[in-house]
Amino acid sequence: MTVETVGQLDDGRDVQVVTIGRAPGIELQVLDLGATVHRLDVTGGDGVRRNVVLGHPTPQEHLDSTFYIGGTIGRYANRIADGRFELDGVGHEVGTNDRGHSLHGGPDGFDRRTWSVERHDDTSVELALTSPDGDQGFPGEVRATVTFTVVVDRVDVVMTATTSAPTVVNMTSHVYFNLAGEGAGTADEHLLRVAAERYTPVDDAGIPEGDHAVVEGTPFDLREPTVVGEAVRSAHPQVVAASGIDHNYVLDGSGSRVVAQLDCPTTRTRLELTSDQPGLQVYTGNFLDGQRRSTSGVLLRQGDGIALEPQTFPDSPNHPEWPSAELRPGQTYTSHLSWTVSATA
Ligand code: BGC
């Protein structure tokens, strides 16, 4: 385990990186900036070690980009329509940063903050953040934590939050995977399986259009392993509007369960995602626009990584019929996920 300063932001903040785990299992690097997963080095099914997540070479590039690469997202991951919602009959207006809507917590979300490293050892690191009452317009002071623990070939991620007043919380981890390795080009040849019979159609700005729809008979049907490059090249209007898949999947079942599996046939590497959340935003890196660098210095282009973001459904504060994102004093929000890496035949 090491803790090192990796750089300084233009605003003077130092950024630290904590390294946990070790070869031949997983080695994970987490930045205190945004509690960001910076590197995830694994031994592939072909025996070769590589970093399988996207990142940026310098901390300032995280702040300059809008890709949310590797970040811990809050208070509210995904979108809140028009940045408005009502809670207990009181209207709230939160910061908008995406076509008039609030995305990933507003203009200054949790992924842009310096989290405090509370505790670390060889295999685990816990980070914490206090988000003041009124932060980005959200009510209540929220204390959030995220803990990453490496157990040989698995990373467990636990996110928690408590509040001083009623509010909404929806946290996620915005890691983009490419099991052929960061910098290896697109993840189009990966096979993706998502355990969901329904998904949430959205309008042109990513806001849910109303009810969920069945995946059957559409390119959103990922119940069997599906080649990502084929799904994102379908002419389905929902795929065209989002330039790929950028949709919430209504996950089958409840409690902690395997919700998705990503396979890279060329490196024979598999990633299995476990989560206890009701939804999974599947985002095929549609807006990686070739303007920002990835960790190894190459430019990030469309489809270079796939983000699998367990969370509650988008715009839930405006959909009382969906699982609630409300958090009240005395309650603790929790979200558990894990990434397990294995070799395939
Ligand atoms: C959202 C995308 C957004 C991206 C930003 C994803 O979680 O669903 O619409 O563009 O984050 O990197």
Side-chain angles (χ1 to χ4, degrees):
M1 187 275 309
T2 58
V3 185
E4 291 163 278
T5 300
V6 277
Q8 215 181 33
L9 300 171
D10 291 351
D11 62 17
R13 278 184 281 166
D14 278 332
V15 177
Q16 296 205 306
V17 64
V18 181
T19 305
I20 56 174
R22 65 182 155 110
I26 288 176
E27 191 175 68
L28 173 70
Q29 288 197 336
V30 178
L31 304 178
D32 61 356
L33 175 68
T36 297
V37 171
H38 180 54
R39 292 184 67 104
L40 184 67
D41 286 272
V42 310
T43 306
D46 56 2
V48 176
R49 277 192 76 75
R50 47 175 80 78
N51 172 23
V52 293
V53 300
L54 306 185
H56 292 295
T58 63
Q60 183 60 36
E61 284 169 85
H62 280 273
L63 291 191
D64 293 342
S65 114
T66 52
F67 300 160
Y68 299 90
I69 283 190
T72 297
I73 309 295
R75 262 183 220 200
Y76 196 90
N78 218 314
R79 294 177 174 83
I80 297 178
D82 304 317
R84 290 173 196 273
F85 64 94
E86 260 190 28
L87 187 56
D88 300 338
V90 179
H92 295 280
E93 211 170 308
V94 296
T96 55
N97 51 341
D98 183 54
R99 296 165 284 183
H101 306 297
S102 182
L103 174 66
H104 294 334
D108 193 25
F110 288 5
D111 60 291
R112 303 175 61 82
R113 309 291 172 82
T114 300
W115 292 56
S116 75
V117 177
E118 299 286 287
R119 193 181 53 72
H120 54 74
D121 58 28
D122 285 349
T123 56
S124 178
V125 57
E126 178 186 337
L127 302 103
L129 180 75
T130 299
S131 163
D133 184 15
D135 191 1
Q136 311 300 295
F138 288 98
E141 179 185 275
V142 163
R143 169 103 176 147
T145 70
V146 56
T147 306
F148 299 90
T149 306
V150 175
V151 186
V152 192
D153 288 322
R154 189 178 86 231
V155 183
D156 292 329
V157 185
V158 180
M159 289 170 269
T160 76
T162 52
T163 184
S164 65
T167 191
V168 292
V169 170
N170 181 31
M171 292 171 67
T172 195
S173 175
H174 206 290
V175 172
Y176 294 71
F177 294 98
N178 186 327
L179 303 176
E182 178 275 319
T186 74
D188 278 1
E189 287 177 9
H190 286 47
L191 298 167
L192 177 61
R193 186 173 72 79
V194 175
E197 285 180 9
R198 291 178 299 153
Y199 79 109
T200 311
V202 289
D203 70 12
D204 287 353
I207 300 298
E209 282 184 322
D211 224 349
H212 308 305
V214 293
V215 295
E216 194 167 357
T218 77
F220 293 94
D221 191 346
L222 304 176
R223 289 173 297 172
E224 295 296 328
T226 302
V227 178
V228 172
E230 287 173 15
V232 299
R233 281 171 183 76
S234 143
H236 188 286
Q238 282 288 314
V239 175
V240 175
S243 302
I245 297 178
D246 186 7
H247 290 78
N248 171 61
Y249 279 76
V250 180
L251 295 168
D252 297 342
S254 60
S256 190
R257 63 231 188 267
V258 175
V259 298
Q261 176 186 297
L262 190 62
D263 273 309
C264 174
T266 52
T267 63
R268 293 190 288 109
T269 308
R270 169 170 295 171
L271 179 107
E272 208 172 57
L273 171 67
T274 302
S275 166
D276 59 3
Q277 293 298 295
L280 180 72
Q281 185 78 11
V282 175
Y283 173 54
T284 50
N286 314 340
F287 309 120
L288 300 175
D289 59 4
Q291 299 299 308
R292 303 272 169 212
R293 298 186 303 159
S294 192
T295 315
S296 59
V298 299
L299 289 176
L300 288 158
R301 295 180 61 87
Q302 191 177 47
D304 278 358
I306 300 167
L308 300 170
E309 313 160 38
Q311 53 190 269
T312 194
F313 305 156
D315 199 26
S316 287
N318 291 308
H319 287 269
E321 71 280 18
W322 290 349
S324 175
E326 289 173 17
L327 183 71
R328 294 174 184 280
Q331 297 177 331
T332 301
Y333 162 93
T334 57
S335 170
H336 292 71
L337 66 91
S338 66
W339 305 304
T340 304
V341 176
S342 61
T344 56

